[in-house]
Amino acid sequence: MPQGRFAGFALKAPCSRADRQWRTTVHGVSPHPLGPTRARAPRVRALTLSAILVLCGSLGPTTSAAARRTAVDPATTLAERHAPLVRIQEQLDACGPGEAFQPADVDMILDQPDVALLDSEGAVITTAPTAADLFDAPAGSNFDLPGASLRPGCDFDRRFGWRTTADRPLLYTRVVTEQPSSDRPPRLAVQYWMYFVYNDWNNLHESDWEMAQVVFDAATVDEALAEGPSLVALSQHYGNERRPWNQVERVGERPVIYPAEGSHAIFFSQHLWFGMSGDSGFGCDDTRGPSMQLDPLVRMMPEADTVTADSDFAWLGFQGRWGERQRGINDSELGPQYTEQWLDPFTWTDGGRTGAVTVPEFDLGVTSFFCAATTNVSRAMNYMLVRPWLLLGLVVGIVVSLVLLARRTRWRPAVPAPLARRRRGGQLLTSAHALLRANPRRYAGVAVTIFVSGVVAALVQTWVVNHTAIGGVVSDVDRGAFTGTATALAAGALETVPVLIAALVLAMAITHRIESPRPAREWRTALLGKGTVPTVVGFLALVLTGPLALLVVPGIAAAAPAAVAEDLGWRAALRRSWQLTRHHRTRTLIVTLSAITVALLLGPLLGVAIMLVFGKAFTLVNIIAGVVHAFTVPWLGAVLSLQFEDLRARTSTGE
């Protein structure tokens, strides 16, 4: 068993600066006037200045060092030397923006009269549970902290926030070793476990365990003390990010880490990040400043299988969950001893990313829209999880609305010819399909171009993942995460999107001339840009305008087919579309968005589903999308063209 796996408390030199001030703001901000720190002021002032001077002078540097050598074992010395400095977002006001919780002692929730221990049926085993109670609790039991985990309000902040305690932040620490193998030398790691009382992110749950791991290429603690660290790994939503020691921000020999506000996923720097986990949802992790720097105590932990009911660490024998039970992503966590990083710490580290995905700061509103959307959708889902009748009613309402919309239109007969005629909304979709079935050779070139584009995009994606920094961001463990999914879709997008736009314009040109012998101008029309600019404008409006797209898109939906059919410049085409759709915006919106959703999202969604379910390679996403797009993009071009002809026919009759 490696040294340092036994319970104990870290000892620090008397009169050290860290003992006098362990919470400070950073980045040019003056020390924070902390209420909890003032709670200790009377005891400090009780010591006279002369007593302090005598105490410090009598111990002196030599005596202090000698005392530490006799009192602290090498593992504790190693753990203290490289203990992370923790920078959390500063919270200026209670219950306000910023991080409300610090890495805490689990004693904060033990032996408290408003905390209960429940069995698997929800019955109370005991109130004010102790560590011994947790050790004896059966599997399936759980904590129940005061407050409602899905409707937290300010309850957890007021009861357990860092402002409510004068206790110093705490890192639970253990030292583990890896036996050498034929292809790897021995390694040693120091794990720093952090307990946060509440996780307030897009998923909401009581108790949150996170961990930073410092790895050494050493077989023993003495070797690690002599050699120094080789890398650091930080837990992030059921995965980790690792970085070589020489690339880690440090103060002396101590790494600086940044837990994100609310989620506590730990990062190496201050940014807005894409959060990533199939287990906890996805969204934006925020580690941006101003920050408050915490200098936690280090407390060595024993191994879980060595604790007894009368141990200070009896809670390591707890088999249950550390908070209120909920459905899905809001369920509380098991203790650290059941995690992969505890059971197999080096495999966990080796499987991590070498970089995290930042959200661009200058994004024309897309970032703020994405972060706000994921937050609001998550909050709405959490709201409905505690009101299942509301969720059921919403689902029923959506189904009924779709049925009513479908019944309000006519789908049959499909009328592919003549082009210039009025059609009902449903007939536009079915007639476009009939048009492609009747003229497969005319659209074959478009289909082949799109399929080849998907293959090329897959090759581009493979090169990007294998030969650029993105390859370090995406690993096999991320296939079920938002980052892996987004990267699978985006790595080939720079090549795919322009081809899809050109293919869509070409499909509209073919549809416009479908009743005449095939002219050579179809390809030239698309390549020279007739209809391309209005199509790009429509695409950008759909992506960038957020909710305003519901107002903008129906007005410009006919611009691209107008440019192709009437040989208009892009400004004239936009004006023409606005005129044609003036009295038909709602109908145009429904038809356009329905067709776009089927044509452009079906392929990527099918590819992502296959990737997530069957664990196939990322490159398969673009190939599958290319195959599906080969059929749906020509169909979309036909729908938009038939819709244009329908609007033109209605306008000519004064409708």
Side-chain angles (χ1 to χ4, degrees):
M1 179 179 297
Q3 299 184 59
R5 291 190 174 186
F6 301 94
F9 294 86
L11 302 178
K12 299 189 75 70
C15 308
S16 69
R17 180 179 179 86
D19 286 332
R20 295 197 301 270
Q21 185 176 13
W22 42 265
R23 284 186 186 137
T24 56
T25 54
V26 293
H27 303 308
V29 184
S30 59
H32 195 281
L34 298 164
T37 306
R38 292 197 191 104
R40 293 189 173 188
R43 286 181 293 178
V44 174
R45 286 195 292 268
L47 295 175
T48 65
L49 177 62
S50 59
I52 295 175
L53 293 175
V54 169
L55 176 62
C56 294
S58 63
L59 292 175
T62 304
T63 305
S64 177
R68 286 178 58 80
R69 282 195 297 271
T70 58
V72 182
D73 69 291
T76 304
T77 300
L78 180 67
E80 287 187 328
R81 177 181 296 179
H82 301 293
L85 292 169
V86 181
R87 290 182 182 172
I88 61 175
Q89 275 197 354
E90 187 176 27
Q91 187 189 49
L92 297 178
D93 301 304
C95 305
E99 179 56 56
F101 306 96
Q102 68 178 17
D105 190 330
V106 298
D107 285 349
M108 174 179 283
I109 65 171
L110 296 181
D111 205 19
Q112 300 296 315
D114 54 355
V115 176
L117 181 63
L118 310 180
D119 65 17
S120 58
E121 302 299 323
V124 176
I125 298 175
T126 184
T127 56
T130 64
D133 293 328
L134 298 184
F135 184 88
D136 295 328
S141 54
N142 67 281
F143 272 109
D144 187 11
L145 305 183
S149 62
L150 297 188
R151 300 188 298 274
C154 196
D155 294 345
F156 293 96
D157 194 327
R158 291 194 182 100
R159 178 67 174 82
F160 298 109
W162 61 263
R163 293 173 176 276
T164 67
T165 176
D167 292 337
R168 188 167 173 177
L170 181 65
L171 301 175
Y172 287 103
T173 308
R174 68 192 284 252
V175 176
V176 293
T177 58
E178 180 185 47
Q179 295 301 318
S181 62
S182 58
D183 59 345
R184 178 177 288 281
R187 289 185 291 180
L188 179 144
V190 182
Q191 294 187 333
Y192 299 93
W193 287 89
M194 286 162 269
Y195 173 70
F196 297 90
V197 175
Y198 187 70
N199 184 94
D200 188 9
W201 194 53
N202 293 347
N203 61 325
L204 305 171
H205 58 82
E206 298 172 352
S207 296
D208 186 26
W209 286 97
E210 302 290 345
M211 194 268 284
Q213 179 164 295
V214 180
V215 179
F216 303 79
D217 292 329
T220 66
V221 170
D222 290 335
E223 289 182 11
L225 286 167
E227 296 294 332
S230 59
L231 64 86
V232 177
L234 306 178
S235 62
Q236 296 172 359
H237 300 294
Y238 295 90
N240 78 86
E241 179 187 355
R242 66 183 192 274
R243 184 173 291 186
W245 179 251
N246 60 7
Q247 298 178 18
V248 174
E249 180 184 356
R250 303 194 301 272
V251 175
E253 291 298 305
R254 302 179 66 182
V256 178
I257 61 175
Y258 297 86
E261 179 192 6
S263 74
H264 311 126
I266 311 174
F267 295 87
F268 286 103
S269 58
Q270 292 180 310
H271 284 290
L272 190 63
W273 310 89
F274 279 128
M276 34 197 168
S277 174
D279 295 299
S280 59
F282 64 86
C284 297
D285 282 314
D286 195 352
T287 62
R288 295 173 297 181
S291 300
M292 181 171 64
Q293 179 169 287
L294 307 178
D295 182 8
L297 283 171
V298 171
R299 183 175 297 174
M300 304 302 292
M301 283 195 297
E303 289 302 289
D305 56 2
T306 66
V307 298
T308 57
D310 59 353
S311 165
D312 289 339
F313 289 91
W315 51 265
L316 277 174
F318 181 45
Q319 304 175 66
R321 293 183 177 269
W322 284 70
E324 186 178 9
R325 298 303 306 270
Q326 296 292 346
R327 300 183 184 92
I329 64 175
N330 296 306
D331 202 6
S332 55
E333 300 178 350
L334 295 169
Q337 72 273 25
Y338 293 106
T339 63
E340 180 188 5
Q341 51 265 49
W342 181 288
L343 300 172
D344 199 355
F346 298 99
T347 300
W348 176 80
T349 299
D350 294 340
R353 299 171 296 276
T354 56
V357 179
T358 59
V359 177
E361 296 291 338
F362 304 101
D363 64 332
L364 301 178
V366 176
T367 294
S368 57
F369 175 76
F370 172 80
C371 294
T374 55
T375 299
N376 291 332
V377 169
S378 296
R379 287 176 178 173
M381 289 302 299
N382 290 328
Y383 182 83
M384 287 185 290
L385 282 174
V386 296
R387 299 166 179 86
W389 57 268
L390 181 61
L391 179 61
L392 178 61
L394 180 63
V395 172
V396 171
I398 292 174
V399 172
V400 170
S401 298
L402 292 175
V403 171
L404 290 177
L405 283 174
R407 291 175 63 88
R408 283 180 60 85
T409 189
R410 182 187 302 167
W411 300 86
R412 299 291 179 187
V415 186
L419 293 181
R421 61 163 290 166
R422 294 171 51 182
R423 295 175 176 85
R424 300 293 294 271
Q427 285 182 303
L428 291 174
L429 305 180
T430 57
S431 297
H433 178 254
L435 192 65
L436 266 64
R437 291 187 61 184
N439 302 275
R441 293 186 179 181
R442 295 291 290 270
Y443 293 96
V446 182
V448 171
T449 300
I450 296 172
F451 174 73
V452 172
S453 169
V455 174
V456 172
L459 296 176
V460 170
Q461 182 188 73
T462 300
W463 184 88
V464 168
V465 170
N466 292 333
H467 297 90
T468 71
I470 293 179
V473 177
V474 183
S475 63
D476 288 343
V477 298
D478 289 317
R479 284 179 179 153
F482 171 73
T483 299
T485 302
T487 304
L489 295 175
L494 291 178
E495 186 273 338
T496 303
V497 172
V499 172
L500 291 180
I501 290 175
L504 181 59
V505 176
L506 177 58
M508 287 186 284
I510 293 172
T511 303
H512 174 63
R513 297 172 176 85
I514 201 70
E515 295 175 337
S516 61
R518 180 179 184 181
R521 285 191 59 209
E522 290 172 351
W523 286 85
R524 188 163 62 249
T525 298
L527 296 177
L528 293 180
K530 287 295 184 181
T532 299
V533 174
T535 303
V536 172
V537 171
F539 174 79
L540 294 177
L542 186 64
V543 172
L544 299 181
T545 58
L548 291 178
L550 299 177
L551 300 176
V552 176
V553 169
I556 63 176
V564 172
E566 299 181 354
D567 200 25
L568 301 177
W570 67 273
R571 291 185 182 88
L574 290 172
R575 287 194 297 269
R576 177 67 163 148
S577 176
W578 203 261
Q579 175 192 8
L580 291 173
T581 60
R582 181 175 301 163
H583 302 295
H584 310 283
R585 296 283 166 78
T586 301
R587 178 178 179 272
T588 302
L589 175 66
I590 294 173
V591 171
T592 302
L593 291 186
S594 299
I596 289 175
T597 300
V598 172
L600 300 185
L601 296 184
L602 181 60
L605 291 177
L606 180 60
V608 168
I610 292 175
M611 182 181 70
L612 297 180
V613 173
F614 298 104
K616 301 300 182 182
F618 295 133
T619 53
L620 186 63
V621 173
N622 278 321
I623 293 178
I624 293 174
V627 173
V628 176
H629 285 158
F631 296 95
T632 59
V633 171
W635 173 79
L636 175 61
V639 170
L640 296 177
S641 294
L642 293 179
Q643 179 173 247
F644 166 74
E645 296 292 350
D646 171 83
L647 292 168
R648 190 158 59 170
R650 292 175 185 272
T651 303
S652 66
T653 60
E655 184 178 336

